[in-house]
Amino acid sequence: MLNLIALDGPSGVGKSTTAKRLADALEWDYMDTGAMYRAVTLAFQRAGITLEDSDKVCRLLSSLDYEQKGTSYYLGDENISEAIRSPEVTKGVSAISADPRVREILVNLQRKLGQRGNWIVDGRDIGTVVFPQAVCKIFLVASPQARAQRRLLELQAKGISTTIGEVLADQERRDHLDSTREESPLRKADDAIELDSSNLGQEEVVAKIIQLFKQKNGGK
C-alpha cells in the first residue's frame, strides 16, 4: 500500500480545492495531476500543435519542462497557474489528456513522485490506473447543477464572463469525453468510497474524507 489518498471524480466536483485543504489538514503533500494535463494542453496551444502532428507532439513531450512548487505551476520559469485555468485550456484538456503519448509521460512522472512521502492526489484515474495501491480511495461526486454553479462562481471570480448554461454544456461535453475515452476512462475504482458533496461545504467534505481515511487506516 502507498501512503497516498486518491481523490477521483468528474470535472467541477471540487477535487482540487478539496485535495489542497485535505493536504493542509493532514500536513501531506498535494499532487495536482489535472494541472499537469492542463500544462501540456497550454503548451500544445501555444505551439500551435495538434495531436495529429506526431513528430511535433513527441518533441514537445520529450522537452516538457513542468514543475509544481507548492500550489503554483510552472513551464520553465513561467508561472502558469492562472493560464492553465482559462476557458480555452479547459475546452482542450479532455482531448489532450486522452492521448496515450501524453498519458504515458505524465503517469510515469506521477508514479515516480508518489513512491516517496505522503500524498493527496486528485484526478480521474488515480485510484484505478495511476495508484491502484493507494491506502484510501475517494470518488467525489455532486449533482450537475451544483458542479456547474461552483464552476461559474470560480470563473466569475477570475473576471471571466459566462453563463450557467454554457458551463453546464461544457461540463456535459467533458464528462462524456472523460468517461468514454479508451485510455484510462473516468470510473470509480471497485474499492473506492463514493462521497456526494452536493450539499456539503468544503470543510465538511474534508472532515468526512479524514474520517473515512482513519477508518481505512485502522483509526490512525
Side-chain angles (χ1 to χ4, degrees):
M1 285 286 185
L2 292 174
N3 212 23
L4 183 149
I5 297 177
L7 184 59
D8 288 309
S11 62
V13 79
K15 296 187 302 295
S16 295
T17 302
T18 299
K20 290 172 186 174
R21 295 191 179 187
L22 188 59
D24 287 341
L26 293 175
E27 296 184 343
W28 285 19
D29 291 314
Y30 166 57
M31 188 190 306
D32 188 346
T33 63
M36 293 181 182
Y37 288 102
R38 285 175 173 272
V40 173
T41 302
L42 180 66
F44 271 53
Q45 292 176 347
R46 287 181 170 180
I49 295 174
T50 67
L51 292 171
E52 288 71 35
D53 297 328
S54 296
D55 291 340
K56 292 180 180 179
V57 167
C58 292
R59 283 199 297 271
L60 185 148
L61 291 174
S62 65
S63 63
L64 187 70
D65 183 13
Y66 169 84
E67 187 176 3
Q68 178 180 332
K69 300 177 182 178
T71 56
S72 296
Y73 312 100
Y74 291 81
L75 279 177
D77 294 329
E78 181 189 357
N79 187 328
I80 57 167
S81 302
E82 289 297 324
I84 61 174
R85 305 298 174 184
S86 71
E88 292 75 19
V89 170
T90 297
K91 289 179 181 178
V93 69
S94 288
I96 297 297
S97 63
D99 187 87
R101 296 162 297 183
V102 175
R103 299 201 71 82
E104 181 180 6
I105 291 289
L106 295 188
V107 167
N108 285 339
L109 173 59
Q110 291 157 16
R111 285 174 175 163
K112 183 178 179 180
L113 291 172
Q115 291 302 313
R116 296 181 180 180
N118 304 315
W119 291 93
I120 310 297
V121 189
D122 72 309
R124 286 165 175 73
D125 62 349
I126 306 306
T128 54
V129 175
V130 186
F131 295 115
Q133 298 303 314
V135 69
C136 181
K137 302 176 188 178
I138 304 295
F139 195 80
L140 194 61
V141 299
S143 68
Q145 191 68 28
R147 291 164 55 202
Q149 187 62 37
R150 290 169 186 168
R151 178 63 176 163
L152 179 64
L153 293 174
E154 177 184 311
L155 292 172
Q156 288 176 339
K158 295 177 179 178
I160 299 172
S161 178
T162 187
T163 66
I164 192 70
E166 290 172 334
V167 174
L168 277 167
D170 185 61
Q171 179 176 281
E172 183 177 357
R173 178 189 62 82
R174 292 184 65 193
D175 284 350
H176 176 74
L177 288 172
D178 291 341
S179 60
T180 60
R181 68 190 186 197
E182 292 185 12
E183 191 75 19
S184 303
L186 168 68
R187 66 177 180 84
K188 177 187 171 186
D190 292 338
D191 55 346
I193 302 167
E194 184 171 306
L195 177 59
D196 190 331
S197 68
S198 300
N199 299 310
L200 298 176
Q202 278 294 332
E203 296 306 320
E204 292 175 298
V205 173
V206 171
K208 184 63 176 177
I209 293 175
I210 291 175
Q211 178 187 1
L212 293 170
F213 166 66
K214 288 182 176 179
Q215 290 173 355
K216 292 280 289 185
N217 203 33
K220 300 179 182 178

